Structure formats: C-alpha cells, structure tokens
Amino acid sequence: MNIPPPVRADDKYRDLLREVHSREDIPETWKDTPIESFMMAQNFGWPIAATGKVELLIATCIEFRYSLPIPKMYAYVIRRASGRVIGSEFSVGYTLSQGVRYLIIIGHNDCGMSKVYEKAPLVVQAFMDQGWEKEAAEEYVKKQVTRHAISDELEALHEEYLRLRSVFRKLVIAPLFVCLHDSKLYIPSWLSQTQDEQATNGTVPNELIRTLP
Ligand SMILES: [Zn+2]
C-alpha cells in the first residue's frame, strides 16, 4: 500500500497548514462543539462520548487510507471522491433538518482526484468490464472526470469551503486537512483570513441554487 510521506516534511505544505499541538490551537468558534471533540479524538486519541444528539456532519473523501475515528450515534457522514460535497446538497439539507449545526470537510494529500485525468482510461475499462459499451463509458467518464478532477487538494478544499459558506449560511463549517501518513489533522493557513467574512444573513441567490448539480 502506498502511504505518502508526512505533509510536515513536504515543502509544498510548509506555510499552508497549521499544526494542532493541543486544544489551544483550535479556533475559538470551534471550542466546546463537536468539531473540537472530533479534532481531539483524531489528533490525540481522546474518546468521543456520543450523546445521542447528532449535530455534526462530516464530509470527506472515499479514500481507503483514511478512516474516521467516530463511534455510532455521533455524526452523519458523506464520503465522496475528493471529499467535496457538490452534488450532495440535498443530503446536507436533510441532516440540517435532523438537527445538524456543524459541518467538517476534510481534504487530504495524495488524492486520486488530483490524478483522475490520467486514471480515466482505467475507469472507462472498469465500466466496460461491467457491460458498458465503450463509447457510452467514454462519454460518461469524460463528463464525470471534468466534474470530479481537482488540481490541488488544499486549493480544492478552500474553494469548496467558500462555496459551501455561500450555500449554507448558518452552518458552522470547519475545513480540515488530514495527513495520510499518520492521520493527523491540520488547519489550513488561509482559514484565518476567511473566518470572519461569512454572510450569515441575506438570501441565497436562486441562480446559485438552480445551478446545483
Ligand atoms: Zn481523495
């Protein structure tokens, strides 16, 4: 199995990710929320006590090298390629109707969706092996690859974070980045610049809603 090196050792991430050494490194707005409990469980092995009151939704990649450290009765979970929620807004809305108030979106290094163009022929073949005709499989994969591809994992997380804040204006959204090497969570450095700009009032433009896939 291919486990990438720690992001800490990668120059690419040096100034882009903040380490979480202790509870003090967690932003104030996340303290005493399920976001904090999740981060403490992931980075320090603190046990999570499920209260039965589920207020957290976690969205992350389908990646098999990462598993969530949560018990049952603690969180709703959406797992999709790249971890972006786009196309699953109804699922988010449903969880909101059930009492969710916090969303954690987790990006990770070495994501397959950053290399999906080069993997597309294999995906086409996989569909053909399921009985799809070549032309139909190619057309489908071409369309989906465009939707699913990301150029950079951390940048894609940033874009999705900003997009989600404009669609879900009352939800507290925590963008996190997990290192596949040791499953430690990091906080993107750009978060401190964008934290206070969320439009919590006003109407979400109809046009934005209609363009959701
Ligand atoms: Zn991934």
Side-chain angles (χ1 to χ4, degrees), residues 18 27 30 158 161 165 173-175 187-196:
R18 276 180 37 217
W30 301 349
H158 194 185
Y161 170 65
R165 279 162 43 118
I173 305 173
I187 298 173
S189 302
W190 42 252
L191 182 68
S192 50
Q193 280 100 57
T194 43
Q195 189 66 2
D196 298 315

PDB file of all heavy atoms in Angstrom, residues 18 27 30 158 161 165 173-175 187-196:
ATOM      1  N   ARG A  18      -1.436  24.637   9.366  1.00  0.00           N
ATOM      2  CA  ARG A  18      -1.071  24.859  10.766  1.00  0.00           C
ATOM      3  C   ARG A  18      -1.246  23.568  11.540  1.00  0.00           C
ATOM      4  O   ARG A  18      -2.289  22.914  11.444  1.00  0.00           O
ATOM      5  CB  ARG A  18      -1.974  25.936  11.366  1.00  0.00           C
ATOM      6  CG  ARG A  18      -1.495  27.357  11.075  1.00  0.00           C
ATOM      7  CD  ARG A  18      -2.443  28.365  11.710  1.00  0.00           C
ATOM      8  NE  ARG A  18      -2.939  27.902  13.002  1.00  0.00           N
ATOM      9  CZ  ARG A  18      -4.183  28.106  13.444  1.00  0.00           C
ATOM     10  NH1 ARG A  18      -5.039  28.755  12.695  1.00  0.00           N
ATOM     11  NH2 ARG A  18      -4.566  27.650  14.625  1.00  0.00           N
ATOM     12  N   PRO A  27      -9.465  26.858  16.818  1.00  0.00           N
ATOM     13  CA  PRO A  27     -10.117  28.180  16.806  1.00  0.00           C
ATOM     14  C   PRO A  27     -11.240  28.276  17.839  1.00  0.00           C
ATOM     15  O   PRO A  27     -11.953  27.290  18.081  1.00  0.00           O
ATOM     16  CB  PRO A  27     -10.684  28.273  15.381  1.00  0.00           C
ATOM     17  CG  PRO A  27      -9.797  27.386  14.556  1.00  0.00           C
ATOM     18  CD  PRO A  27      -9.406  26.261  15.471  1.00  0.00           C
ATOM     19  N   TRP A  30     -14.771  26.992  17.385  1.00  0.00           N
ATOM     20  CA  TRP A  30     -14.982  25.538  17.341  1.00  0.00           C
ATOM     21  C   TRP A  30     -14.916  24.896  18.726  1.00  0.00           C
ATOM     22  O   TRP A  30     -15.238  23.718  18.894  1.00  0.00           O
ATOM     23  CB  TRP A  30     -13.941  24.858  16.449  1.00  0.00           C
ATOM     24  CG  TRP A  30     -13.940  25.330  15.026  1.00  0.00           C
ATOM     25  CD1 TRP A  30     -14.869  26.125  14.410  1.00  0.00           C
ATOM     26  CD2 TRP A  30     -12.950  25.032  14.040  1.00  0.00           C
ATOM     27  NE1 TRP A  30     -14.518  26.331  13.100  1.00  0.00           N
ATOM     28  CE2 TRP A  30     -13.346  25.680  12.838  1.00  0.00           C
ATOM     29  CE3 TRP A  30     -11.764  24.276  14.046  1.00  0.00           C
ATOM     30  CZ2 TRP A  30     -12.594  25.598  11.663  1.00  0.00           C
ATOM     31  CZ3 TRP A  30     -11.014  24.190  12.874  1.00  0.00           C
ATOM     32  CH2 TRP A  30     -11.433  24.841  11.702  1.00  0.00           C
ATOM     33  N   HIS A 158     -10.274  24.743  -0.178  1.00  0.00           N
ATOM     34  CA  HIS A 158     -10.564  26.166   0.014  1.00  0.00           C
ATOM     35  C   HIS A 158     -11.769  26.590  -0.822  1.00  0.00           C
ATOM     36  O   HIS A 158     -12.696  27.230  -0.324  1.00  0.00           O
ATOM     37  CB  HIS A 158      -9.329  26.985  -0.376  1.00  0.00           C
ATOM     38  CG  HIS A 158      -9.374  28.406   0.082  1.00  0.00           C
ATOM     39  ND1 HIS A 158      -8.424  29.326  -0.242  1.00  0.00           N
ATOM     40  CD2 HIS A 158     -10.292  29.071   0.832  1.00  0.00           C
ATOM     41  CE1 HIS A 158      -8.733  30.505   0.300  1.00  0.00           C
ATOM     42  NE2 HIS A 158      -9.864  30.371   0.950  1.00  0.00           N
ATOM     43  N   TYR A 161     -14.918  25.102   0.545  1.00  0.00           N
ATOM     44  CA  TYR A 161     -15.269  25.771   1.800  1.00  0.00           C
ATOM     45  C   TYR A 161     -16.007  27.086   1.511  1.00  0.00           C
ATOM     46  O   TYR A 161     -17.067  27.350   2.071  1.00  0.00           O
ATOM     47  CB  TYR A 161     -13.987  26.016   2.601  1.00  0.00           C
ATOM     48  CG  TYR A 161     -14.146  26.905   3.802  1.00  0.00           C
ATOM     49  CD1 TYR A 161     -14.926  26.530   4.888  1.00  0.00           C
ATOM     50  CD2 TYR A 161     -13.493  28.136   3.854  1.00  0.00           C
ATOM     51  CE1 TYR A 161     -15.063  27.350   5.993  1.00  0.00           C
ATOM     52  CE2 TYR A 161     -13.619  28.969   4.957  1.00  0.00           C
ATOM     53  CZ  TYR A 161     -14.406  28.571   6.017  1.00  0.00           C
ATOM     54  OH  TYR A 161     -14.535  29.393   7.107  1.00  0.00           O
ATOM     55  N   ARG A 165     -20.043  27.907   2.223  1.00  0.00           N
ATOM     56  CA  ARG A 165     -20.456  29.030   3.089  1.00  0.00           C
ATOM     57  C   ARG A 165     -21.481  29.921   2.405  1.00  0.00           C
ATOM     58  O   ARG A 165     -22.310  30.545   3.060  1.00  0.00           O
ATOM     59  CB  ARG A 165     -19.239  29.855   3.489  1.00  0.00           C
ATOM     60  CG  ARG A 165     -18.481  29.225   4.637  1.00  0.00           C
ATOM     61  CD  ARG A 165     -17.068  29.780   4.766  1.00  0.00           C
ATOM     62  NE  ARG A 165     -16.983  31.201   4.601  1.00  0.00           N
ATOM     63  CZ  ARG A 165     -16.557  32.041   5.548  1.00  0.00           C
ATOM     64  NH1 ARG A 165     -16.210  31.592   6.721  1.00  0.00           N
ATOM     65  NH2 ARG A 165     -16.475  33.330   5.315  1.00  0.00           N
ATOM     66  N   ILE A 173     -18.857  25.777   9.502  1.00  0.00           N
ATOM     67  CA  ILE A 173     -18.098  24.865   8.636  1.00  0.00           C
ATOM     68  C   ILE A 173     -16.622  24.895   9.013  1.00  0.00           C
ATOM     69  O   ILE A 173     -16.011  25.953   9.089  1.00  0.00           O
ATOM     70  CB  ILE A 173     -18.273  25.240   7.149  1.00  0.00           C
ATOM     71  CG1 ILE A 173     -19.760  25.278   6.777  1.00  0.00           C
ATOM     72  CG2 ILE A 173     -17.515  24.258   6.252  1.00  0.00           C
ATOM     73  CD1 ILE A 173     -20.046  25.799   5.378  1.00  0.00           C
ATOM     74  N   ALA A 174     -16.070  23.727   9.257  1.00  0.00           N
ATOM     75  CA  ALA A 174     -14.659  23.606   9.630  1.00  0.00           C
ATOM     76  C   ALA A 174     -13.909  22.855   8.531  1.00  0.00           C
ATOM     77  O   ALA A 174     -14.097  21.651   8.377  1.00  0.00           O
ATOM     78  CB  ALA A 174     -14.518  22.862  10.948  1.00  0.00           C
ATOM     79  N   PRO A 175     -13.072  23.554   7.754  1.00  0.00           N
ATOM     80  CA  PRO A 175     -12.267  22.862   6.753  1.00  0.00           C
ATOM     81  C   PRO A 175     -10.987  22.330   7.400  1.00  0.00           C
ATOM     82  O   PRO A 175     -10.256  23.082   8.042  1.00  0.00           O
ATOM     83  CB  PRO A 175     -11.958  23.971   5.730  1.00  0.00           C
ATOM     84  CG  PRO A 175     -11.943  25.226   6.535  1.00  0.00           C
ATOM     85  CD  PRO A 175     -12.836  25.017   7.733  1.00  0.00           C
ATOM     86  N   ILE A 187      -4.925  22.533  10.207  1.00  0.00           N
ATOM     87  CA  ILE A 187      -5.836  23.626   9.867  1.00  0.00           C
ATOM     88  C   ILE A 187      -5.203  24.424   8.723  1.00  0.00           C
ATOM     89  O   ILE A 187      -4.050  24.848   8.835  1.00  0.00           O
ATOM     90  CB  ILE A 187      -6.075  24.542  11.087  1.00  0.00           C
ATOM     91  CG1 ILE A 187      -6.727  23.729  12.218  1.00  0.00           C
ATOM     92  CG2 ILE A 187      -6.944  25.734  10.697  1.00  0.00           C
ATOM     93  CD1 ILE A 187      -6.849  24.484  13.533  1.00  0.00           C
ATOM     94  N   PRO A 188      -5.939  24.634   7.630  1.00  0.00           N
ATOM     95  CA  PRO A 188      -5.371  25.415   6.523  1.00  0.00           C
ATOM     96  C   PRO A 188      -5.037  26.836   6.982  1.00  0.00           C
ATOM     97  O   PRO A 188      -5.835  27.465   7.689  1.00  0.00           O
ATOM     98  CB  PRO A 188      -6.497  25.434   5.476  1.00  0.00           C
ATOM     99  CG  PRO A 188      -7.401  24.303   5.842  1.00  0.00           C
ATOM    100  CD  PRO A 188      -7.296  24.166   7.332  1.00  0.00           C
ATOM    101  N   SER A 189      -3.881  27.350   6.562  1.00  0.00           N
ATOM    102  CA  SER A 189      -3.470  28.704   6.980  1.00  0.00           C
ATOM    103  C   SER A 189      -4.431  29.760   6.459  1.00  0.00           C
ATOM    104  O   SER A 189      -4.636  30.791   7.094  1.00  0.00           O
ATOM    105  CB  SER A 189      -2.062  29.004   6.463  1.00  0.00           C
ATOM    106  OG  SER A 189      -1.169  28.042   6.955  1.00  0.00           O
ATOM    107  N   TRP A 190      -5.043  29.496   5.301  1.00  0.00           N
ATOM    108  CA  TRP A 190      -5.959  30.507   4.743  1.00  0.00           C
ATOM    109  C   TRP A 190      -7.216  30.692   5.583  1.00  0.00           C
ATOM    110  O   TRP A 190      -7.942  31.669   5.405  1.00  0.00           O
ATOM    111  CB  TRP A 190      -6.337  30.206   3.296  1.00  0.00           C
ATOM    112  CG  TRP A 190      -6.653  28.782   2.931  1.00  0.00           C
ATOM    113  CD1 TRP A 190      -5.865  27.946   2.185  1.00  0.00           C
ATOM    114  CD2 TRP A 190      -7.843  28.022   3.250  1.00  0.00           C
ATOM    115  NE1 TRP A 190      -6.482  26.729   2.028  1.00  0.00           N
ATOM    116  CE2 TRP A 190      -7.689  26.745   2.663  1.00  0.00           C
ATOM    117  CE3 TRP A 190      -9.003  28.295   3.970  1.00  0.00           C
ATOM    118  CZ2 TRP A 190      -8.655  25.747   2.792  1.00  0.00           C
ATOM    119  CZ3 TRP A 190      -9.969  27.308   4.097  1.00  0.00           C
ATOM    120  CH2 TRP A 190      -9.787  26.052   3.513  1.00  0.00           C
ATOM    121  N   LEU A 191      -7.469  29.798   6.508  1.00  0.00           N
ATOM    122  CA  LEU A 191      -8.713  29.897   7.279  1.00  0.00           C
ATOM    123  C   LEU A 191      -8.784  31.207   8.068  1.00  0.00           C
ATOM    124  O   LEU A 191      -9.831  31.842   8.137  1.00  0.00           O
ATOM    125  CB  LEU A 191      -8.857  28.714   8.237  1.00  0.00           C
ATOM    126  CG  LEU A 191     -10.161  28.719   9.033  1.00  0.00           C
ATOM    127  CD1 LEU A 191     -11.354  28.482   8.123  1.00  0.00           C
ATOM    128  CD2 LEU A 191     -10.130  27.671  10.131  1.00  0.00           C
ATOM    129  N   SER A 192      -7.638  31.627   8.635  1.00  0.00           N
ATOM    130  CA  SER A 192      -7.659  32.827   9.470  1.00  0.00           C
ATOM    131  C   SER A 192      -8.015  34.074   8.657  1.00  0.00           C
ATOM    132  O   SER A 192      -8.536  35.038   9.198  1.00  0.00           O
ATOM    133  CB  SER A 192      -6.314  33.015  10.168  1.00  0.00           C
ATOM    134  OG  SER A 192      -5.279  32.916   9.237  1.00  0.00           O
ATOM    135  N   GLN A 193      -7.780  34.034   7.359  1.00  0.00           N
ATOM    136  CA  GLN A 193      -8.142  35.193   6.523  1.00  0.00           C
ATOM    137  C   GLN A 193      -9.617  35.180   6.117  1.00  0.00           C
ATOM    138  O   GLN A 193     -10.171  36.203   5.761  1.00  0.00           O
ATOM    139  CB  GLN A 193      -7.299  35.218   5.238  1.00  0.00           C
ATOM    140  CG  GLN A 193      -5.902  35.787   5.422  1.00  0.00           C
ATOM    141  CD  GLN A 193      -4.883  34.661   5.532  1.00  0.00           C
ATOM    142  OE1 GLN A 193      -4.790  33.842   4.621  1.00  0.00           O
ATOM    143  NE2 GLN A 193      -4.144  34.619   6.614  1.00  0.00           N
ATOM    144  N   THR A 194     -10.219  33.999   6.133  1.00  0.00           N
ATOM    145  CA  THR A 194     -11.586  33.913   5.615  1.00  0.00           C
ATOM    146  C   THR A 194     -12.617  33.700   6.718  1.00  0.00           C
ATOM    147  O   THR A 194     -13.800  33.752   6.461  1.00  0.00           O
ATOM    148  CB  THR A 194     -11.716  32.746   4.606  1.00  0.00           C
ATOM    149  OG1 THR A 194     -11.041  31.610   5.118  1.00  0.00           O
ATOM    150  CG2 THR A 194     -11.144  33.104   3.264  1.00  0.00           C
ATOM    151  N   GLN A 195     -12.154  33.529   7.945  1.00  0.00           N
ATOM    152  CA  GLN A 195     -13.030  33.118   9.029  1.00  0.00           C
ATOM    153  C   GLN A 195     -14.195  34.070   9.283  1.00  0.00           C
ATOM    154  O   GLN A 195     -15.298  33.648   9.580  1.00  0.00           O
ATOM    155  CB  GLN A 195     -12.200  32.956  10.313  1.00  0.00           C
ATOM    156  CG  GLN A 195     -12.949  32.333  11.467  1.00  0.00           C
ATOM    157  CD  GLN A 195     -13.333  30.878  11.221  1.00  0.00           C
ATOM    158  OE1 GLN A 195     -13.017  30.312  10.191  1.00  0.00           O
ATOM    159  NE2 GLN A 195     -14.047  30.288  12.138  1.00  0.00           N
ATOM    160  N   ASP A 196     -13.935  35.371   9.153  1.00  0.00           N
ATOM    161  CA  ASP A 196     -14.953  36.314   9.615  1.00  0.00           C
ATOM    162  C   ASP A 196     -15.800  36.924   8.505  1.00  0.00           C
ATOM    163  O   ASP A 196     -16.565  37.835   8.732  1.00  0.00           O
ATOM    164  CB  ASP A 196     -14.277  37.432  10.401  1.00  0.00           C
ATOM    165  CG  ASP A 196     -13.574  36.871  11.627  1.00  0.00           C
ATOM    166  OD1 ASP A 196     -14.173  36.038  12.328  1.00  0.00           O
ATOM    167  OD2 ASP A 196     -12.414  37.242  11.846  1.00  0.00           O
TER     168      ASP A 196
END
